[in-house]
């Protein structure tokens, strides 16, 4: 064990430290974190909409069983709550890609220590420069009379029909890969020009806000023009916009691989491995966790908003778990970013809440028991650092194997329970500090079976920790 630890300290840890300190990856992580208020607002709206549309209807239908014409939309208060929640979802999850574009540009500019606000604006501009005019595409082949009707209807809304219209479907989580690639290119060009001092300088008498805006003019123009040229050339060569090409040939293959149990287990393994050396595993792998699995969770959330839990269950039962097996264009993804938090990382990335239970039950070491008593309260809210560094688990060879094995077994249990239709997939985003069991219940759209699956996973993790906690009794402090 000591030889293995020494080898990993020499070869693995330096790489992990470099990855964790890479400024572009840090900016990407901070971009996702910065979106949390909008994400949570959308998640709450989705949950409220589902609750209003499901629970009251089920209960009150029993009361009004003889009145077959009754439905929840006839209850004024509930109907209004549902309508407002739909608007909140529209303003957050429906355009989450746009929100991410600004957050990514802002944090990337911050990493380069240039004007952050201008960086966010460049990020948004880089996204919209490559979006197709969806109106022009959907009206291809229509008669002059049909086009006239469309123009008339658009004009009735106070809009000019010659202005481009963008599809909300290209402003949601599906825009992530395009934003990451083209937004990074545009903002880095902008930042490099700012750092090279290729700017317009104003006299000292000019207010600072105006001066900062003028400084960003030339870098912004050059950055947006360069990405626009790339968009134009690729569209002329391929006949498709870059956002389509990225989604088709980059995003879809990565997301397809993300549903392989091998890919999921590899990520789970390395998160625990990094934690063993005191490195925040989810932060190191944030680009994969949030870049690949988080958009899939947003897709599930949007689907849940429309068809609710029963619809999700039906899709899984019919095998509509990927794009190739979609039913009427709808499918649900089995494993998303929140699946780890719900079913494997209870108490923290190593499933450490079960370690604390094992210590309080089996350990005879005063130091272990003291740390466990202090760590149980933060552990209930998935804050693991007091135990990780206080016990410690970090570089503790006796706890190395269960730290790696526990989350892997929990993931296997949850993955196959989801694949076999024994529990609904994770469809809602809940705060990471939500206590175990409640987290899974909420994240699966209030599927009571998630409670059972989580308890089974926690029991398995507890059994894995037990012999190693007992073995630690024989080791001197």
């Amino acid at each position: 064990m000591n030889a293995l630890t020494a080898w990993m300290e020499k070869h693995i840890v330096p790489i992990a430290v470099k990855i964790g300190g890479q400024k572009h990856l840090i900016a990407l992580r901070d971009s996702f974190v910065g979106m949390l208020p909008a994400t949570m607002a959308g998640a709450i709206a989705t949950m409220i909409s589902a609750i209003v549309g499901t629970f009251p209807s089920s209960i009150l239908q029993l009361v009004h069983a003889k009145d077959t014409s009754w439905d929840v939309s006839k209850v004024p208060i509930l109907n209004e709550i549902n309508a407002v929640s739909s608007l909140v979802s529209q303003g957050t999850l429906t355009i989450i890609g746009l929100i991410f574009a600004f957050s990514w540009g802002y944090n990337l500019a911050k990493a380069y220590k240039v004007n952050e606000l201008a960086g966010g604006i460049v990020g948004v501009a880089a996204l919209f420069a490559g979006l197709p005019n969806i109106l022009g595409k959907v009206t291809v082949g229509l008669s002059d009379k049909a086009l006239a009707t469309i123009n008339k209807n658009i004009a009735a809304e106070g809009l000019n029909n010659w202005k481009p219209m963008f599809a909300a479907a290209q402003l949601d989580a599906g825009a992530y890969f395009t934003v990451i690639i083209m937004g990074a290119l545009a903002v880095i060009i902008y930042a490099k020009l700012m750092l090279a001092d290729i700017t317009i300088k104003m006299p000292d008498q000019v207010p600072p806000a105006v001066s900062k805006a003028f400084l960003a003019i030339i870098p912004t123009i050059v950055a947006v023009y360069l990405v626009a040229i790339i968009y134009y050339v690729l569209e002329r060569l391929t006949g498709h916009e870059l956002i389509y090409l990225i989604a088709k040939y980059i995003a879809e293959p990565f997301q397809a691989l993300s549903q392989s149990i091998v890919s999921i287990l590899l990520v789970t393994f390395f998160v625990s491995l990094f934690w063993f050396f005191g490195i925040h595993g989810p932060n190191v792998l944030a680009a994969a966790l949030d870049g690949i699995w988080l958009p899939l969770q947003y897709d599930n959330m949007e689907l849940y908003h429309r068809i609710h839990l029963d619809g999700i269950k039906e899709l899984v039962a019919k095998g509509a778990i990927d794009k190739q097996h979609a039913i009427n264009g709808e499918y649900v993804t089995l494993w998303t970013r929140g699946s780890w938090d719900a079913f494997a990382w209870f108490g923290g990335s190593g499933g450490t809440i079960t370690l604390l239970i094992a210590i309080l039950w089996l350990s005879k070491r005063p130091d272990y028991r003291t740390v466990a008593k202090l760590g149980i309260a933060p552990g209930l809210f998935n804050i693991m650092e007091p135990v990780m560094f206080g016990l410690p688990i970090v570089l503790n060879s006796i706890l190395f194997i269960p730290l790696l094995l526990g989350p892997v077994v929990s993931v296997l249990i949850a993955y196959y329970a989801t694949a076999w239709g024994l529990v609904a997939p994770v469809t809602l985003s809940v705060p990471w500090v939500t206590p175990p069991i409640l987290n899974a219940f909420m994240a699966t759209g209030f599927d009571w079976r998630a409670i059972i699956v989580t308890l089974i996973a926690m029991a398995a993790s507890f059994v894995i920790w037990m012999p190693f906690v007992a073995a630690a009794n024989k080791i001197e402090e």
Side-chain angles (χ1 to χ4, degrees):
M1 178 63 73
N2 290 334
L4 177 61
T5 301
W7 181 87
M8 286 191 292
E9 285 179 341
K10 181 179 179 180
H11 298 284
I12 301 296
V13 172
I15 297 174
V17 170
K18 287 182 179 179
I19 293 173
Q22 216 285 327
K23 67 180 180 181
H24 299 91
L25 295 182
I26 291 174
L28 184 62
R29 179 200 67 197
D30 292 345
S31 298
F32 286 114
V33 173
M35 293 163 53
L36 188 60
T39 303
M40 290 310 305
I44 291 172
T46 301
M47 286 190 288
I48 290 174
S49 180
I51 293 172
V52 169
T54 303
F55 293 154
S57 179
S58 300
I59 296 172
L60 295 178
Q61 283 285 5
L62 296 176
V63 179
H64 298 79
K66 295 181 180 179
D67 183 5
T68 57
S69 64
W70 184 91
D71 61 66
V72 73
S73 65
K74 295 181 180 179
V75 179
I77 295 177
L78 295 180
N79 185 48
E80 269 66 59
I81 291 174
N82 192 34
V84 171
S85 296
S86 296
L87 294 176
V88 172
S89 179
Q90 177 179 299
T92 52
L93 300 181
T94 301
I95 58 164
I96 199 69
L98 171 60
I99 296 171
F100 174 59
F102 182 85
S103 183
W104 176 222
Y106 181 96
N107 283 285
L108 200 52
K110 183 179 180 181
Y112 278 91
K113 299 181 180 179
V114 295
N115 187 336
E116 298 97 337
L117 178 59
I121 293 171
V122 169
V124 172
L127 169 63
F128 272 91
L131 293 181
N133 179 2
I134 201 66
L135 180 63
K137 291 184 175 294
V138 299
T139 56
V140 172
L142 295 181
S143 66
D144 292 339
K145 183 177 181 180
L147 289 173
T149 302
I150 292 173
N151 289 336
K152 180 180 178 181
N153 292 338
I154 292 174
E157 295 295 323
L159 301 173
N160 294 317
N161 56 13
W162 49 266
K163 289 187 177 179
M165 294 189 179
F166 304 110
Q170 291 178 323
L171 292 174
D172 59 9
Y176 274 21
F177 277 85
T178 301
V179 170
I180 290 173
I181 296 171
M182 299 307 292
L185 177 61
V187 176
I188 290 172
I189 292 171
Y190 154 78
K192 293 291 186 181
L193 292 174
M194 288 286 288
L195 294 173
D197 208 20
I198 303 176
T199 59
I200 300 174
K201 296 181 176 63
M202 300 297 289
D204 294 339
Q205 297 83 356
V206 175
V210 177
S211 181
K212 287 178 68 175
F214 270 86
L215 284 173
I217 288 177
I218 292 177
T220 299
I221 291 173
V222 174
V224 177
Y225 254 94
L226 285 177
V227 295
I229 290 171
I230 294 172
Y231 285 136
Y232 177 78
V233 171
L234 286 174
E235 196 276 332
R236 296 291 291 179
L237 292 175
T238 65
H240 293 288
E241 286 78 11
L242 183 60
I243 192 169
Y244 168 84
L245 297 174
I246 290 175
K248 183 70 175 177
Y249 298 107
I250 298 179
E252 286 187 12
F254 268 114
Q255 291 176 343
L257 287 173
S258 74
Q259 298 308 292
S260 162
I261 186 60
V262 175
S263 302
I264 295 168
L265 290 179
L266 277 175
V267 171
T268 307
F269 174 84
F270 277 106
V271 165
S272 295
L273 181 63
F274 290 145
W275 266 122
F276 177 73
F277 291 100
I279 300 169
H280 199 295
N283 281 0
V284 173
L285 297 176
L289 288 168
D290 296 337
I292 296 174
W293 280 278
L294 189 59
L296 298 174
Q297 182 166 318
Y298 291 151
D299 290 341
N300 276 5
M301 195 183 306
E302 191 275 333
L303 182 65
Y304 180 88
H305 186 78
R306 289 188 286 107
I307 65 176
H308 305 319
L309 182 59
D310 289 339
I312 295 292
K313 290 179 181 178
E314 185 177 355
L315 287 177
V316 174
K318 293 180 178 179
I321 56 174
D322 54 47
K323 193 172 185 178
Q324 289 71 29
H325 300 91
I327 298 175
N328 297 324
E330 292 183 340
Y331 65 95
V332 62
T333 303
L334 292 180
W335 196 266
T336 68
R337 174 61 182 87
S339 300
W340 276 285
D341 296 324
F343 295 119
W345 292 343
F346 24 77
S349 299
T352 48
I353 195 72
T354 53
L355 166 62
L356 299 181
I357 296 171
I359 289 173
L360 293 174
W361 189 5
L362 298 171
S363 181
K364 298 177 182 178
R365 292 183 53 163
D367 57 333
Y368 272 33
R369 294 184 64 83
T370 299
V371 173
K373 291 175 182 177
L374 293 172
I376 196 72
L380 288 174
F381 298 94
N382 303 312
I383 300 170
M384 64 183 297
E385 282 78 3
V387 178
M388 189 64 68
F389 297 102
L391 199 60
I393 299 175
V394 171
L395 295 176
N396 187 336
S397 58
I398 196 68
L399 301 178
F400 176 65
I401 292 175
L403 176 65
L404 296 181
L405 187 59
V408 165
V409 171
S410 297
V411 164
L412 284 169
I413 292 170
Y415 179 86
Y416 285 107
T418 307
W420 295 338
L422 302 178
V423 66
V426 168
T427 52
L428 301 179
S429 292
V430 298
W432 65 272
V433 293
T434 304
I437 303 175
L438 178 61
N439 186 310
F441 177 59
M442 295 174 63
T444 54
F446 308 100
D447 186 350
W448 63 269
R449 299 173 300 174
I451 297 174
I452 298 175
V453 173
T454 306
L455 288 173
I456 293 172
M458 291 179 69
S461 180
F462 173 77
V463 170
I464 291 170
W465 282 108
M466 279 178 58
F468 295 92
V469 171
N473 290 331
K474 302 175 183 179
I475 300 176
E476 291 185 3
E477 297 177 20

